Amino acid sequence: MQILEKKKKIHDLIKRASSVVDPLSPFDSFRRYTKNELSVYLEPGRGDRLSSSLKQHIRKLLKKNMEGFYGSNWPIQAKVKRTEMTSPDARYIFVRELRYGSKAYETASTQRICEEGIAGFVHYRFTLEEEIPVLYVYEIQLESRIQGKGLGEFLMQLIELIASKNQMSAIVLTVQTSNALAMTFYMSKLGYRISSISPSKANLPTFSAKYEILCKTFDSEAKSVLEVRSFPFTCITRIYDKIADQV
């Protein structure tokens, strides 16, 4: 009975977090980033409310930033990402460049966000990993001209606040091992760790996965499951399935 009650509590927690219309409302100071000759405004969004032009804009940015890391496997990954980005579960933070004469922006609850001025985005979801409620960062993508100005760290700070506000036990994300800058950014600068559910923790020589799953945990249970636990069999099966889908 306690197990069922715990599962229901976690399910309700994720449902409640996903239903928040404007996740930025408790963090008004994070709506704007004006630093290092960069001025942007952040807007929330949902995968099932993207305009056609914005979908195309996102696909172009993903291709520009990620094709090189996936190489010949990119066409398969691009198809997967197209499906992921329009899911009703997908939540977004869009980075819009502020321009002279711009009007105050409405939130995604009252309008469809168009692609004009969008220079980056974070795609995240509230979900379960090994029965732990987590905020999973699917993508964080910025136009090259606004990279290296502290915005990525700013966005990840906001993601941590959103996760904490919604009582998530961890943040989880996936990084291509060939993306050395991203690995350094998350692990050295932000304090993320390679998760126990990451392919490299399986210690199986047949694994050829080219990515790591990183995490930052916020409580002891999440730490014991996602950081230090021996590799769970369910994860091994899931990773084999994921690799099979990619070849």
Side-chain angles (χ1 to χ4, degrees):
M1 182 64 71
Q2 288 182 342
I3 294 176
L4 290 176
E5 289 178 352
K6 182 179 180 181
K7 285 186 175 181
K8 183 181 184 305
K9 183 178 179 181
I10 292 174
H11 173 79
D12 291 344
L13 189 69
I14 291 175
K15 184 177 180 180
R16 186 164 58 250
S18 299
S19 68
V20 174
V21 174
D22 183 5
L24 303 182
S25 59
F27 316 110
D28 278 337
S29 62
F30 276 81
R31 287 190 186 274
R32 291 192 56 171
Y33 181 83
T34 306
K35 193 175 181 181
N36 298 326
E37 300 180 347
L38 182 63
S39 183
V40 299
Y41 184 89
L42 305 185
E43 296 177 314
R46 288 179 43 158
D48 55 355
R49 296 182 182 176
L50 303 179
S51 66
S52 296
S53 57
L54 184 51
K55 292 176 189 176
Q56 185 176 3
H57 188 74
I58 289 173
R59 289 197 293 266
K60 287 181 179 179
L61 183 54
L62 281 167
K63 178 179 174 65
K64 185 190 303 181
N65 286 355
M66 300 305 297
E67 184 177 21
F69 296 114
Y70 284 101
S72 60
N73 198 39
W74 173 247
I76 297 174
Q77 288 300 319
K79 185 177 180 180
V80 172
K81 291 178 183 295
R82 281 198 300 271
T83 301
E84 290 176 344
M85 75 183 194
T86 57
S87 167
D89 295 326
R91 297 294 178 269
Y92 284 88
I93 298 171
F94 289 104
V95 178
R96 190 189 295 274
E97 290 183 278
L98 293 176
R99 297 173 181 174
Y100 179 78
S102 296
K103 297 180 180 179
Y105 295 113
E106 299 176 84
T107 66
S109 62
T110 57
Q111 70 170 17
R112 279 178 173 266
I113 297 177
C114 67
E115 85 285 0
E116 182 180 357
I118 296 294
F121 66 90
V122 183
H123 166 194
Y124 67 96
R125 303 188 191 187
F126 298 104
T127 187
L128 288 176
E129 282 294 333
E130 298 300 299
E131 302 304 317
I132 300 294
V134 306
L135 186 158
Y136 205 117
V137 179
Y138 273 59
E139 303 284 350
I140 176 169
Q141 301 293 341
L142 301 174
E143 295 279 3
S144 58
R145 68 177 182 279
I146 66 171
Q147 294 176 15
K149 296 179 181 291
L151 180 57
E153 185 174 1
F154 180 81
L155 289 169
M156 290 305 298
Q157 288 173 352
L158 174 58
I159 284 295
E160 289 190 25
L161 289 172
I162 292 173
S164 178
K165 178 70 175 178
N166 289 281
Q167 298 178 279
M168 296 296 108
S169 295
I171 296 174
V172 181
L173 53 89
T174 304
V175 181
Q176 294 298 110
T177 53
S178 58
N179 193 344
L181 285 177
M183 290 291 291
T184 300
F185 172 70
Y186 289 115
M187 297 187 69
S188 298
K189 195 164 189 176
L190 301 185
Y192 281 73
R193 293 176 174 271
I194 296 177
S195 175
S196 62
I197 64 175
S198 189
S200 67
K201 295 294 185 178
N203 296 319
L204 297 178
T206 56
F207 269 24
S208 59
K210 297 179 181 180
Y211 64 92
E212 294 283 8
I213 299 174
L214 307 184
C215 69
K216 178 179 282 190
T217 58
F218 304 130
D219 59 50
S220 58
E221 182 180 9
K223 183 180 181 67
S224 67
V225 173
L226 297 176
E227 282 192 33
V228 299
R229 190 172 72 171
S230 59
F231 200 88
F233 178 79
T234 55
C235 284
I236 295 176
T237 304
R238 184 172 58 197
I239 289 172
Y240 268 127
D241 290 341
K242 185 170 184 179
I243 292 172
D245 289 341
Q246 296 177 358
V247 297

